[in-house]
Amino acid sequence: MTGTKIKNMEEFASVSGISRPTLSKFFNNPDSVRASTRKRIEAALEQYDYQPNLYAVNQNRRLTKNIGVVVPYLADPFFAKIARTIEEYIIETGFRPVLLGSHGSPAMEIANLDNLRSIKPAGVLLAPLGRASDQETLEAFCEEVPTVLFDANIDTIGEAFVGSNNEQSIGLIVDYLCRTGEAPCFFEMRSPTNPNAFKRRSAYIAAMERLGHTPHLIQAEGEGWEFEEIGFREGMRALSDRNLTTNTILCSNDRLAIGVLSAAFETGLKVGIGEDCDLRIAGHDDHPFSKYTCPTLTTVSQDYEAIAKKSASLLLERIETEKAADSRREALFDGRLIMRSSA
């Protein structure tokens, strides 16, 4: 024990280095924080011989029915669709969704979480930017507010992660493309923001090697969320240089594929599965626009509904039990091959 007498929780938070909201959660219900955090608090209580005023703690406790839903880019129909599915499910369970978009900006992502903190949400469903996210700040927020991640995973953050099984889905479409024509090259961004892109790259390489083919990466320059523009610009460069090792291009996501489709049209190349076609192009995600491209885009569909409902159900379970899981949970859903005219 130290010789210093701690008068209130603010002083205890200051000397212990543990945030005030995290301490409030602990004193309301010790099982509501992670086991490692609980041990830190218990050790600090012993060290400083602090006895909280439990009446004041209970008076400050206000659990709302608000659930925050934060996505990287609401203008993207992919995120709009999955967010709408989450929103409908949350409303059915009696909670109030608060939907926010980060516009691809790390600063806006943090501002969204700060705004949610001010309305005391019961929990948050977060699709993080990924590599661009301020991970230290996100981790601090998740220590205060029950949070489940979906779509993009950051291993150290949140109660759980729900997303697609990229290894399975990329393996599925690589196998299809190899069975029906030339083995594909992989068109991706050199420095992608979303962690899914790295997993898809690794899954492509593994699938190609498993099938006895040599992987070939086409890495597009560019950053941010203007994927169609990057796909078009870098697709024009790749097609104009004529340096493709195959007539089949698998894109890391459908939005890049839409840009490459446009580049092929501009360069006079015919995309499709007929004998008179020059290229096959495929994507991943089953973006809502992929069924309306020309030709329509072969892709892998993510299970939007399953991802949305599982994310929400894990968060609601956490809210209802007021108890953090002993370990971070992960749920991955397999993709489904969507065969259309482009490959």
Side-chain angles (χ1 to χ4, degrees):
M1 293 192 303
T2 68
T4 304
K5 180 64 176 176
I6 305 299
K7 299 183 180 66
N8 53 47
M9 201 179 301
E10 284 70 23
E11 289 187 8
F12 181 60
S14 177
V15 297
S16 66
I18 301 166
S19 72
R20 175 69 169 76
T22 300
L23 291 173
S24 293
K25 286 176 63 179
F26 171 82
F27 290 126
N28 283 323
N29 179 4
D31 289 333
S32 68
V33 300
R34 296 184 186 280
S36 58
T37 303
R38 190 161 61 246
K39 289 179 181 178
R40 285 181 57 207
I41 295 173
E42 289 169 349
L45 287 171
E46 183 175 350
Q47 178 182 356
Y48 295 103
D49 190 26
Y50 174 60
Q51 295 288 333
N53 182 338
L54 294 180
Y55 173 78
V57 169
N58 289 327
Q59 285 294 98
N60 287 329
R61 187 182 184 189
R62 295 185 183 92
L63 179 64
T64 71
K65 301 290 281 186
N66 299 321
I67 290 182
V69 183
V70 182
V71 299
Y73 209 72
L74 274 173
D76 184 333
F78 171 83
F79 287 112
K81 182 174 180 178
I82 197 167
R84 185 167 62 249
T85 306
I86 287 174
E87 188 176 35
E88 291 171 354
Y89 183 76
I90 289 173
I91 291 171
E92 288 175 3
T93 59
F95 284 80
R96 294 184 295 268
V98 180
L99 183 58
L100 299 169
S102 299
H103 303 286
S105 164
M108 180 63 75
E109 183 171 69
I110 298 305
N112 284 334
L113 296 181
D114 286 340
N115 288 335
L116 287 172
R117 186 186 281 110
S118 70
I119 63 170
K120 300 183 183 296
V124 169
L125 292 165
L126 170 65
L129 297 177
R131 183 173 60 88
S133 294
D134 181 343
Q135 296 191 20
E136 184 176 344
T137 303
L138 290 189
E139 192 166 353
F141 176 86
C142 294
E143 285 287 338
E144 301 176 19
V145 180
T147 304
V148 169
L149 269 58
F150 67 96
D151 181 62
N153 191 16
I154 301 176
D155 291 335
T156 60
I157 292 173
E159 303 277 341
F161 167 70
V162 181
S164 289
N165 184 347
N166 289 294
E167 183 175 356
Q168 176 271 341
S169 59
I170 290 291
L172 182 67
I173 197 163
V174 168
D175 179 72
Y176 165 76
L177 293 172
C178 289
R179 283 189 289 105
T180 56
E182 294 184 13
C185 60
F186 191 68
F187 187 96
E188 62 168 357
M189 292 170 63
R190 185 180 300 277
S191 302
T193 297
N194 194 305
N196 285 319
F198 293 106
K199 293 178 180 178
R200 292 174 188 175
R201 176 193 300 170
S202 298
Y204 161 76
I205 293 171
M208 289 285 283
E209 291 177 343
R210 185 182 71 247
L211 295 170
H213 299 292
T214 301
H216 178 65
L217 302 177
I218 300 175
Q219 296 189 311
E221 301 294 341
E223 293 190 357
W225 290 83
E226 301 301 326
F227 299 136
E228 294 88 356
E229 178 185 339
I230 294 168
F232 175 75
R233 183 186 68 244
E234 294 297 293
M236 285 288 290
R237 180 180 60 79
L239 296 174
S240 298
D241 291 348
R242 304 287 180 175
N243 63 351
L244 297 180
T245 60
T246 172
N247 71 354
T248 305
I249 302 174
L250 172 59
C251 297
S252 180
N253 63 62
D254 285 351
R255 291 183 60 191
L256 284 174
I258 289 170
V260 176
L261 279 172
S262 181
F265 177 81
E266 286 292 318
T267 54
L269 296 173
K270 186 174 181 179
V271 177
I273 55 179
E275 292 183 1
D276 61 335
C277 293
D278 304 298
L279 279 177
R280 296 191 303 162
I281 296 174
H284 190 289
D285 292 338
D286 196 23
H287 188 282
F289 290 168
S290 63
K291 65 180 70 174
Y292 303 114
T293 58
C294 186
T296 54
L297 185 64
T298 292
T299 185
V300 179
S301 175
Q302 296 195 52
D303 195 336
Y304 293 86
E305 186 169 354
I307 291 171
K309 289 189 174 181
K310 184 65 173 180
S311 303
S313 65
L314 284 175
L315 181 62
L316 293 172
E317 177 186 331
R318 167 66 177 82
I319 292 168
E320 290 168 4
T321 61
E322 297 188 358
K323 181 178 180 180
D326 291 333
S327 59
R328 190 173 185 267
R329 289 182 283 181
E330 186 173 289
L332 301 179
F333 292 90
D334 288 351
R336 181 169 57 92
L337 182 65
I338 306 295
M339 295 177 287
R340 297 195 180 107
S341 302
S342 70

PDB file of all heavy atoms in Angstrom, residues 15-16 18 35 81 104 115 122 141 169 174 181 188 196 216 219 227 229 238 241-243 284 288-289 298 314 317:
ATOM      1  N   VAL A  15      -3.966   7.918 -10.687  1.00  0.00           N
ATOM      2  CA  VAL A  15      -2.770   7.251 -10.155  1.00  0.00           C
ATOM      3  C   VAL A  15      -2.618   5.827 -10.690  1.00  0.00           C
ATOM      4  O   VAL A  15      -1.506   5.307 -10.807  1.00  0.00           O
ATOM      5  CB  VAL A  15      -2.781   7.228  -8.604  1.00  0.00           C
ATOM      6  CG1 VAL A  15      -2.750   8.645  -8.053  1.00  0.00           C
ATOM      7  CG2 VAL A  15      -3.972   6.445  -8.057  1.00  0.00           C
ATOM      8  N   SER A  16      -3.741   5.204 -11.051  1.00  0.00           N
ATOM      9  CA  SER A  16      -3.670   3.816 -11.502  1.00  0.00           C
ATOM     10  C   SER A  16      -3.421   3.697 -12.996  1.00  0.00           C
ATOM     11  O   SER A  16      -3.007   2.639 -13.488  1.00  0.00           O
ATOM     12  CB  SER A  16      -4.965   3.075 -11.153  1.00  0.00           C
ATOM     13  OG  SER A  16      -6.065   3.596 -11.888  1.00  0.00           O
ATOM     14  N   ILE A  18      -5.782   3.788 -15.221  1.00  0.00           N
ATOM     15  CA  ILE A  18      -6.934   3.088 -15.791  1.00  0.00           C
ATOM     16  C   ILE A  18      -8.042   4.118 -16.010  1.00  0.00           C
ATOM     17  O   ILE A  18      -8.323   4.928 -15.127  1.00  0.00           O
ATOM     18  CB  ILE A  18      -7.417   1.969 -14.850  1.00  0.00           C
ATOM     19  CG1 ILE A  18      -6.288   0.964 -14.618  1.00  0.00           C
ATOM     20  CG2 ILE A  18      -8.641   1.272 -15.431  1.00  0.00           C
ATOM     21  CD1 ILE A  18      -6.520   0.024 -13.471  1.00  0.00           C
ATOM     22  N   ALA A  35     -10.582 -10.014 -18.413  1.00  0.00           N
ATOM     23  CA  ALA A  35      -9.907 -10.602 -17.257  1.00  0.00           C
ATOM     24  C   ALA A  35      -8.597  -9.883 -16.958  1.00  0.00           C
ATOM     25  O   ALA A  35      -8.254  -9.642 -15.794  1.00  0.00           O
ATOM     26  CB  ALA A  35      -9.661 -12.087 -17.503  1.00  0.00           C
ATOM     27  N   LYS A  81     -25.653  -1.482 -47.741  1.00  0.00           N
ATOM     28  CA  LYS A  81     -26.504  -2.675 -47.679  1.00  0.00           C
ATOM     29  C   LYS A  81     -26.321  -3.423 -46.367  1.00  0.00           C
ATOM     30  O   LYS A  81     -27.298  -3.789 -45.704  1.00  0.00           O
ATOM     31  CB  LYS A  81     -26.184  -3.595 -48.855  1.00  0.00           C
ATOM     32  CG  LYS A  81     -27.058  -4.847 -48.905  1.00  0.00           C
ATOM     33  CD  LYS A  81     -26.786  -5.653 -50.170  1.00  0.00           C
ATOM     34  CE  LYS A  81     -27.665  -6.903 -50.218  1.00  0.00           C
ATOM     35  NZ  LYS A  81     -27.459  -7.684 -51.453  1.00  0.00           N
ATOM     36  N   GLY A 104     -13.934   7.392 -45.066  1.00  0.00           N
ATOM     37  CA  GLY A 104     -12.561   6.984 -45.341  1.00  0.00           C
ATOM     38  C   GLY A 104     -11.519   7.741 -44.554  1.00  0.00           C
ATOM     39  O   GLY A 104     -10.315   7.628 -44.827  1.00  0.00           O
ATOM     40  N   ASN A 115     -18.531  11.087 -30.681  1.00  0.00           N
ATOM     41  CA  ASN A 115     -19.939  11.492 -30.688  1.00  0.00           C
ATOM     42  C   ASN A 115     -20.827  10.411 -30.077  1.00  0.00           C
ATOM     43  O   ASN A 115     -21.775  10.713 -29.340  1.00  0.00           O
ATOM     44  CB  ASN A 115     -20.393  11.784 -32.124  1.00  0.00           C
ATOM     45  CG  ASN A 115     -19.801  13.066 -32.674  1.00  0.00           C
ATOM     46  OD1 ASN A 115     -19.446  13.967 -31.920  1.00  0.00           O
ATOM     47  ND2 ASN A 115     -19.670  13.153 -33.991  1.00  0.00           N
ATOM     48  N   ALA A 122     -25.262   1.634 -25.537  1.00  0.00           N
ATOM     49  CA  ALA A 122     -25.168   0.321 -24.892  1.00  0.00           C
ATOM     50  C   ALA A 122     -24.051  -0.498 -25.522  1.00  0.00           C
ATOM     51  O   ALA A 122     -23.444  -1.349 -24.868  1.00  0.00           O
ATOM     52  CB  ALA A 122     -26.494  -0.417 -25.021  1.00  0.00           C
ATOM     53  N   PHE A 141     -11.267   3.104 -26.742  1.00  0.00           N
ATOM     54  CA  PHE A 141     -12.732   3.207 -26.808  1.00  0.00           C
ATOM     55  C   PHE A 141     -13.379   1.867 -26.484  1.00  0.00           C
ATOM     56  O   PHE A 141     -14.371   1.803 -25.750  1.00  0.00           O
ATOM     57  CB  PHE A 141     -13.153   3.676 -28.202  1.00  0.00           C
ATOM     58  CG  PHE A 141     -14.645   3.727 -28.397  1.00  0.00           C
ATOM     59  CD1 PHE A 141     -15.365   4.853 -28.036  1.00  0.00           C
ATOM     60  CD2 PHE A 141     -15.340   2.647 -28.936  1.00  0.00           C
ATOM     61  CE1 PHE A 141     -16.755   4.905 -28.193  1.00  0.00           C
ATOM     62  CE2 PHE A 141     -16.715   2.685 -29.093  1.00  0.00           C
ATOM     63  CZ  PHE A 141     -17.420   3.817 -28.727  1.00  0.00           C
ATOM     64  N   SER A 169     -13.327 -18.177 -49.796  1.00  0.00           N
ATOM     65  CA  SER A 169     -13.974 -17.536 -50.939  1.00  0.00           C
ATOM     66  C   SER A 169     -13.004 -17.308 -52.095  1.00  0.00           C
ATOM     67  O   SER A 169     -13.356 -17.528 -53.267  1.00  0.00           O
ATOM     68  CB  SER A 169     -14.620 -16.212 -50.512  1.00  0.00           C
ATOM     69  OG  SER A 169     -13.656 -15.331 -49.967  1.00  0.00           O
ATOM     70  N   VAL A 174     -10.728 -18.936 -57.435  1.00  0.00           N
ATOM     71  CA  VAL A 174      -9.505 -19.321 -58.148  1.00  0.00           C
ATOM     72  C   VAL A 174      -9.682 -20.710 -58.756  1.00  0.00           C
ATOM     73  O   VAL A 174      -9.322 -20.952 -59.920  1.00  0.00           O
ATOM     74  CB  VAL A 174      -8.279 -19.286 -57.216  1.00  0.00           C
ATOM     75  CG1 VAL A 174      -7.066 -19.964 -57.865  1.00  0.00           C
ATOM     76  CG2 VAL A 174      -7.926 -17.842 -56.855  1.00  0.00           C
ATOM     77  N   GLY A 181     -10.732 -22.031 -67.636  1.00  0.00           N
ATOM     78  CA  GLY A 181      -9.891 -21.260 -68.548  1.00  0.00           C
ATOM     79  C   GLY A 181      -8.496 -21.100 -67.996  1.00  0.00           C
ATOM     80  O   GLY A 181      -8.037 -21.904 -67.179  1.00  0.00           O
ATOM     81  N   GLU A 188      -4.703  -5.971 -57.524  1.00  0.00           N
ATOM     82  CA  GLU A 188      -4.946  -5.448 -56.180  1.00  0.00           C
ATOM     83  C   GLU A 188      -4.267  -4.095 -56.029  1.00  0.00           C
ATOM     84  O   GLU A 188      -3.495  -3.665 -56.886  1.00  0.00           O
ATOM     85  CB  GLU A 188      -4.359  -6.406 -55.135  1.00  0.00           C
ATOM     86  CG  GLU A 188      -2.853  -6.556 -55.272  1.00  0.00           C
ATOM     87  CD  GLU A 188      -2.199  -7.264 -54.099  1.00  0.00           C
ATOM     88  OE1 GLU A 188      -2.906  -7.586 -53.142  1.00  0.00           O
ATOM     89  OE2 GLU A 188      -0.980  -7.452 -54.150  1.00  0.00           O
ATOM     90  N   ASN A 196      -8.817  -6.967 -45.249  1.00  0.00           N
ATOM     91  CA  ASN A 196      -9.281  -8.068 -46.080  1.00  0.00           C
ATOM     92  C   ASN A 196      -8.419  -8.247 -47.324  1.00  0.00           C
ATOM     93  O   ASN A 196      -8.238  -9.365 -47.815  1.00  0.00           O
ATOM     94  CB  ASN A 196     -10.739  -7.845 -46.513  1.00  0.00           C
ATOM     95  CG  ASN A 196     -11.725  -8.100 -45.397  1.00  0.00           C
ATOM     96  OD1 ASN A 196     -11.579  -9.049 -44.632  1.00  0.00           O
ATOM     97  ND2 ASN A 196     -12.722  -7.254 -45.282  1.00  0.00           N
ATOM     98  N   HIS A 216       0.679 -14.532 -59.952  1.00  0.00           N
ATOM     99  CA  HIS A 216       1.159 -13.300 -60.592  1.00  0.00           C
ATOM    100  C   HIS A 216       0.330 -12.137 -60.070  1.00  0.00           C
ATOM    101  O   HIS A 216      -0.889 -12.109 -60.236  1.00  0.00           O
ATOM    102  CB  HIS A 216       1.048 -13.388 -62.116  1.00  0.00           C
ATOM    103  CG  HIS A 216       1.491 -12.142 -62.814  1.00  0.00           C
ATOM    104  ND1 HIS A 216       2.794 -11.688 -62.784  1.00  0.00           N
ATOM    105  CD2 HIS A 216       0.790 -11.244 -63.556  1.00  0.00           C
ATOM    106  CE1 HIS A 216       2.895 -10.565 -63.480  1.00  0.00           C
ATOM    107  NE2 HIS A 216       1.693 -10.275 -63.955  1.00  0.00           N
ATOM    108  N   GLN A 219      -0.052  -5.015 -58.975  1.00  0.00           N
ATOM    109  CA  GLN A 219      -0.274  -4.150 -57.816  1.00  0.00           C
ATOM    110  C   GLN A 219      -0.472  -2.701 -58.271  1.00  0.00           C
ATOM    111  O   GLN A 219       0.438  -2.060 -58.791  1.00  0.00           O
ATOM    112  CB  GLN A 219       0.894  -4.274 -56.843  1.00  0.00           C
ATOM    113  CG  GLN A 219       0.996  -5.695 -56.268  1.00  0.00           C
ATOM    114  CD  GLN A 219       2.002  -5.805 -55.154  1.00  0.00           C
ATOM    115  OE1 GLN A 219       3.136  -5.353 -55.270  1.00  0.00           O
ATOM    116  NE2 GLN A 219       1.589  -6.427 -54.063  1.00  0.00           N
ATOM    117  N   PHE A 227     -11.956   3.232 -55.416  1.00  0.00           N
ATOM    118  CA  PHE A 227     -11.455   1.999 -56.015  1.00  0.00           C
ATOM    119  C   PHE A 227     -11.712   1.919 -57.522  1.00  0.00           C
ATOM    120  O   PHE A 227     -10.883   1.414 -58.276  1.00  0.00           O
ATOM    121  CB  PHE A 227     -12.081   0.783 -55.322  1.00  0.00           C
ATOM    122  CG  PHE A 227     -11.777   0.692 -53.850  1.00  0.00           C
ATOM    123  CD1 PHE A 227     -12.775   0.365 -52.954  1.00  0.00           C
ATOM    124  CD2 PHE A 227     -10.497   0.921 -53.379  1.00  0.00           C
ATOM    125  CE1 PHE A 227     -12.499   0.269 -51.592  1.00  0.00           C
ATOM    126  CE2 PHE A 227     -10.214   0.828 -52.028  1.00  0.00           C
ATOM    127  CZ  PHE A 227     -11.218   0.502 -51.132  1.00  0.00           C
ATOM    128  N   GLU A 229     -11.865   4.340 -59.692  1.00  0.00           N
ATOM    129  CA  GLU A 229     -10.896   5.210 -60.370  1.00  0.00           C
ATOM    130  C   GLU A 229      -9.520   4.551 -60.431  1.00  0.00           C
ATOM    131  O   GLU A 229      -8.845   4.564 -61.471  1.00  0.00           O
ATOM    132  CB  GLU A 229     -10.797   6.548 -59.637  1.00  0.00           C
ATOM    133  CG  GLU A 229      -9.772   7.498 -60.237  1.00  0.00           C
ATOM    134  CD  GLU A 229      -9.610   8.765 -59.423  1.00  0.00           C
ATOM    135  OE1 GLU A 229     -10.521   9.107 -58.652  1.00  0.00           O
ATOM    136  OE2 GLU A 229      -8.541   9.403 -59.564  1.00  0.00           O
ATOM    137  N   ALA A 238      -1.953  -1.449 -67.143  1.00  0.00           N
ATOM    138  CA  ALA A 238      -1.606  -2.865 -67.289  1.00  0.00           C
ATOM    139  C   ALA A 238      -2.002  -3.406 -68.656  1.00  0.00           C
ATOM    140  O   ALA A 238      -1.246  -4.158 -69.288  1.00  0.00           O
ATOM    141  CB  ALA A 238      -2.276  -3.677 -66.185  1.00  0.00           C
ATOM    142  N   ASP A 241       0.230  -1.842 -71.472  1.00  0.00           N
ATOM    143  CA  ASP A 241       1.597  -2.382 -71.474  1.00  0.00           C
ATOM    144  C   ASP A 241       1.660  -3.804 -72.024  1.00  0.00           C
ATOM    145  O   ASP A 241       2.738  -4.295 -72.363  1.00  0.00           O
ATOM    146  CB  ASP A 241       2.170  -2.370 -70.043  1.00  0.00           C
ATOM    147  CG  ASP A 241       2.442  -0.960 -69.540  1.00  0.00           C
ATOM    148  OD1 ASP A 241       2.411  -0.027 -70.364  1.00  0.00           O
ATOM    149  OD2 ASP A 241       2.663  -0.797 -68.328  1.00  0.00           O
ATOM    150  N   ARG A 242       0.497  -4.478 -72.077  1.00  0.00           N
ATOM    151  CA  ARG A 242       0.417  -5.851 -72.579  1.00  0.00           C
ATOM    152  C   ARG A 242       1.363  -6.796 -71.838  1.00  0.00           C
ATOM    153  O   ARG A 242       1.988  -7.664 -72.423  1.00  0.00           O
ATOM    154  CB  ARG A 242       0.754  -5.894 -74.089  1.00  0.00           C
ATOM    155  CG  ARG A 242      -0.104  -4.982 -74.950  1.00  0.00           C
ATOM    156  CD  ARG A 242      -1.509  -5.534 -75.089  1.00  0.00           C
ATOM    157  NE  ARG A 242      -2.348  -4.661 -75.928  1.00  0.00           N
ATOM    158  CZ  ARG A 242      -3.586  -4.936 -76.307  1.00  0.00           C
ATOM    159  NH1 ARG A 242      -4.140  -6.069 -75.906  1.00  0.00           N
ATOM    160  NH2 ARG A 242      -4.296  -4.103 -77.037  1.00  0.00           N
ATOM    161  N   ASN A 243       1.472  -6.588 -70.530  1.00  0.00           N
ATOM    162  CA  ASN A 243       2.392  -7.427 -69.756  1.00  0.00           C
ATOM    163  C   ASN A 243       1.672  -8.504 -68.946  1.00  0.00           C
ATOM    164  O   ASN A 243       2.216  -9.053 -67.997  1.00  0.00           O
ATOM    165  CB  ASN A 243       3.245  -6.552 -68.823  1.00  0.00           C
ATOM    166  CG  ASN A 243       2.409  -5.825 -67.779  1.00  0.00           C
ATOM    167  OD1 ASN A 243       1.192  -5.844 -67.841  1.00  0.00           O
ATOM    168  ND2 ASN A 243       3.080  -5.175 -66.838  1.00  0.00           N
ATOM    169  N   HIS A 284     -14.723  -9.850 -56.270  1.00  0.00           N
ATOM    170  CA  HIS A 284     -15.059 -10.440 -54.968  1.00  0.00           C
ATOM    171  C   HIS A 284     -15.956  -9.470 -54.215  1.00  0.00           C
ATOM    172  O   HIS A 284     -15.696  -8.274 -54.191  1.00  0.00           O
ATOM    173  CB  HIS A 284     -13.785 -10.687 -54.155  1.00  0.00           C
ATOM    174  CG  HIS A 284     -14.002 -11.503 -52.914  1.00  0.00           C
ATOM    175  ND1 HIS A 284     -14.670 -11.023 -51.808  1.00  0.00           N
ATOM    176  CD2 HIS A 284     -13.645 -12.779 -52.606  1.00  0.00           C
ATOM    177  CE1 HIS A 284     -14.704 -11.959 -50.873  1.00  0.00           C
ATOM    178  NE2 HIS A 284     -14.086 -13.028 -51.329  1.00  0.00           N
ATOM    179  N   PRO A 288     -23.445  -4.563 -54.942  1.00  0.00           N
ATOM    180  CA  PRO A 288     -24.781  -4.392 -55.531  1.00  0.00           C
ATOM    181  C   PRO A 288     -24.781  -3.970 -57.001  1.00  0.00           C
ATOM    182  O   PRO A 288     -25.745  -4.250 -57.718  1.00  0.00           O
ATOM    183  CB  PRO A 288     -25.397  -3.302 -54.640  1.00  0.00           C
ATOM    184  CG  PRO A 288     -24.739  -3.501 -53.315  1.00  0.00           C
ATOM    185  CD  PRO A 288     -23.325  -3.897 -53.636  1.00  0.00           C
ATOM    186  N   PHE A 289     -23.702  -3.323 -57.473  1.00  0.00           N
ATOM    187  CA  PHE A 289     -23.654  -2.898 -58.870  1.00  0.00           C
ATOM    188  C   PHE A 289     -23.122  -3.986 -59.802  1.00  0.00           C
ATOM    189  O   PHE A 289     -23.182  -3.842 -61.023  1.00  0.00           O
ATOM    190  CB  PHE A 289     -22.773  -1.653 -59.020  1.00  0.00           C
ATOM    191  CG  PHE A 289     -23.353  -0.402 -58.423  1.00  0.00           C
ATOM    192  CD1 PHE A 289     -22.574   0.734 -58.267  1.00  0.00           C
ATOM    193  CD2 PHE A 289     -24.680  -0.351 -57.999  1.00  0.00           C
ATOM    194  CE1 PHE A 289     -23.099   1.889 -57.709  1.00  0.00           C
ATOM    195  CE2 PHE A 289     -25.215   0.797 -57.442  1.00  0.00           C
ATOM    196  CZ  PHE A 289     -24.420   1.925 -57.298  1.00  0.00           C
ATOM    197  N   THR A 298     -18.692 -11.732 -62.819  1.00  0.00           N
ATOM    198  CA  THR A 298     -18.530 -12.955 -62.033  1.00  0.00           C
ATOM    199  C   THR A 298     -17.794 -12.610 -60.748  1.00  0.00           C
ATOM    200  O   THR A 298     -16.798 -11.887 -60.759  1.00  0.00           O
ATOM    201  CB  THR A 298     -17.748 -14.010 -62.835  1.00  0.00           C
ATOM    202  OG1 THR A 298     -18.565 -14.438 -63.924  1.00  0.00           O
ATOM    203  CG2 THR A 298     -17.381 -15.203 -61.973  1.00  0.00           C
ATOM    204  N   LEU A 314     -24.057 -11.028 -31.310  1.00  0.00           N
ATOM    205  CA  LEU A 314     -22.935 -11.102 -30.365  1.00  0.00           C
ATOM    206  C   LEU A 314     -22.885  -9.864 -29.470  1.00  0.00           C
ATOM    207  O   LEU A 314     -22.626  -9.958 -28.268  1.00  0.00           O
ATOM    208  CB  LEU A 314     -21.614 -11.247 -31.120  1.00  0.00           C
ATOM    209  CG  LEU A 314     -21.305 -12.629 -31.700  1.00  0.00           C
ATOM    210  CD1 LEU A 314     -20.015 -12.585 -32.517  1.00  0.00           C
ATOM    211  CD2 LEU A 314     -21.183 -13.672 -30.590  1.00  0.00           C
ATOM    212  N   GLU A 317     -25.809 -10.002 -26.982  1.00  0.00           N
ATOM    213  CA  GLU A 317     -25.506 -10.987 -25.930  1.00  0.00           C
ATOM    214  C   GLU A 317     -24.575 -10.381 -24.892  1.00  0.00           C
ATOM    215  O   GLU A 317     -24.762 -10.560 -23.680  1.00  0.00           O
ATOM    216  CB  GLU A 317     -24.856 -12.214 -26.567  1.00  0.00           C
ATOM    217  CG  GLU A 317     -24.428 -13.294 -25.582  1.00  0.00           C
ATOM    218  CD  GLU A 317     -23.663 -14.413 -26.258  1.00  0.00           C
ATOM    219  OE1 GLU A 317     -23.913 -14.660 -27.458  1.00  0.00           O
ATOM    220  OE2 GLU A 317     -22.811 -15.031 -25.596  1.00  0.00           O
TER     221      GLU A 317
END
